[in-house]
Every structure is written in structure tokens, then in C-alpha cells.
Amino acid sequence: MFRSAATASFTLGLFLLTGCSSSPGRSTAGAASASFDEMTPTQIAAWSATSKYPTTTPLKMMDVTVIVNQSKNTIKVYNLSGTPLRNSKLWVNKTFVAKVDAVAPQTNLVINTERLYDGVGNVFSKQQREVTTVQLQTEDGLYDLLGPVAE
């Protein structure tokens, strides 16, 4: 009896230490380094929970335009500058966040609003809200973007 109790204790301890994943072969541990497109909804929610909206004043406008299509649940981010955007966070309405891995100059990125989460796991597309502000957080600080404009 002692042996089965010890085995059960060991198994429970191992489970608690290693955690569980929402799908086979994928855990949320590497979410910070994973590409946003490769992240599962659970990983995005976990990453969003660790993202904190900056308390600093936005530095200035960035030459990036945002176009929103509510019927398609998409936000298009157009990088009109000559500089690539890398390792950034896109903040929508100062609450919902998406990881921006890279947007090359003169190209765009389309983000589905079903992949925008707030710090407590709410999904933007289910909130019945309009996109009112979109900002980009880079290593340099927080920037206001041009728009959003409805498509």
C-alpha cells in the first residue's frame, strides 16, 4: 500500500511540475518565442496575460496605417515606412494585444480579431466592440498608428 501511495504521489508531483498542454505535442512554455501564426489560442491567451499595456505616453505617430474590416473580423496593418517592424506588440483599444513577429517595409500584415486577447483571456471578436485605437509597442516605446479606417 505504501508503494502505490508513493507512486501516486510521485505521478501527481511530476504532473504538477510538467503541466499539461491543450493539444498533443504543444505546450504554452515556448509561446513567447513561437511565431504568432504558429501559436494556439491557449498559447496566445497565456502570452497576452503576460503582456502589460505601457503606461508611458505614445512617442509619436508611426508611418503605419490600420484598416479594419468588421464583417471579416480582420485588422490590416500596412507598414508604409522603409523600416521593418520586428518583435512588436499590436495593442487594440489599449487592452487587446497581438504579437507582431515581422512586417517588411511596404507590405502588410492581416490579424484576425479572433486572435486578439486581453490579459484575462477575453477574445476581442466576441466583445462586440469597435476598434477605436491601434498602437504599436516596439523596443523604442509605444507609437500611435494612422487610423483605424473602416474597410
Side-chain angles (χ1 to χ4, degrees):
M1 174 149 163
F2 176 72
R3 183 173 182 185
S4 65
T7 302
S9 247
F10 174 77
T11 305
L12 178 61
L14 186 60
F15 175 77
L16 291 174
L17 284 175
T18 58
C20 63
S21 76
S22 59
S23 59
R26 295 186 88 162
S27 72
T28 58
S33 61
S35 162
F36 188 69
D37 291 336
E38 296 171 346
M39 292 168 68
T40 65
T42 302
Q43 289 174 315
I44 295 170
W47 176 83
S48 298
T50 64
S51 298
K52 303 298 178 211
Y53 181 77
T55 57
T56 58
T57 303
L59 296 173
K60 58 182 176 179
M61 291 293 266
M62 185 178 268
D63 203 9
V64 175
T65 300
V66 178
I67 299 177
V68 177
N69 186 321
Q70 276 192 288
S71 64
K72 292 183 180 179
N73 289 334
T74 59
I75 297 174
K76 293 180 185 175
V77 179
Y78 289 87
N79 182 2
L80 304 175
S81 74
T83 308
L85 305 174
R86 292 189 182 102
N87 302 321
S88 303
K89 294 178 182 179
L90 187 77
W91 288 97
V92 174
N93 296 355
K94 301 181 180 182
T95 305
F96 296 86
V97 64
K99 183 178 177 190
V100 176
D101 298 312
V103 184
Q106 307 302 316
T107 64
N108 70 49
L109 169 70
V110 178
I111 296 175
N112 190 307
T113 58
E114 293 173 357
R115 296 179 60 81
L116 285 168
Y117 285 79
D118 67 8
V120 294
N122 295 315
V123 181
F124 182 82
S125 62
K126 295 182 180 175
Q127 301 301 309
Q128 303 298 319
R129 294 185 187 171
E130 288 186 26
V131 175
T132 56
T133 60
V134 182
Q135 298 170 303
L136 192 71
Q137 181 183 2
T138 69
E139 292 176 354
D140 299 329
L142 184 67
Y143 291 87
D144 287 329
L145 304 182
L146 302 170
V149 177
E151 182 173 48

